[in-house]
Amino acid sequence: MNEDIKQFLFAHIESVEQLEIIFLLRQYPDKWWSAQTIADEMRASSSSVSNRLNTIDRLHLLENDANSMVRYKLQSEIGR
C-alpha cells in the first residue's frame, strides 16, 4: 500500500463504516446519494451515516447538492 494512503487512513479514517461509505460512493462516481439512501444500501443507521458523511465532507472529499435535499458524491478527482 502506498505510504501516502496509509498516512491518510491513519490520520483521517475513524471507522470501518466511514471507509465503507467512501468505497460505496467510489463505485458510483456519477450518482448522487442522500444519507438515507446510503444507510439503506449499507443497512446502517441513518444518523450514523449522517455523522460519517459530515466527517468525510470536512475532509473535502465530497461534493454537495443542497437544491432540494442534501445529497453527496465523491469529488470528481477521487471517484475516478
Side-chain angles (χ1 to χ4, degrees), residues 33-66:
W33 297 81
S34 69
Q36 185 61 56
T37 305
I38 293 170
D40 292 345
E41 179 74 21
M42 294 177 55
R43 295 186 175 100
S45 156
S46 60
S47 63
S48 179
V49 168
S50 291
N51 289 335
R52 302 298 180 201
L53 285 167
N54 287 332
T55 301
I56 297 166
D57 193 32
R58 284 193 302 272
L59 297 172
H60 306 287
L61 299 178
L62 299 176
E63 293 181 40
N64 296 316
D65 174 18

Side-chain angles (χ1 to χ4, degrees), residues 1-34:
M1 179 182 298
N2 180 311
E3 193 60 35
D4 290 337
I5 293 172
K6 280 185 188 179
Q7 288 178 358
F8 176 83
L9 291 173
F10 287 121
H12 301 290
I13 302 301
E14 301 170 355
S15 70
V16 171
E17 184 177 55
Q18 186 180 0
L19 195 55
E20 288 175 337
I21 291 169
I22 292 170
F23 286 152
L24 175 65
L25 297 179
R26 189 172 187 285
Q27 283 182 318
Y28 305 95
D30 296 322
K31 181 176 179 175
W32 288 96
W33 297 81
S34 69

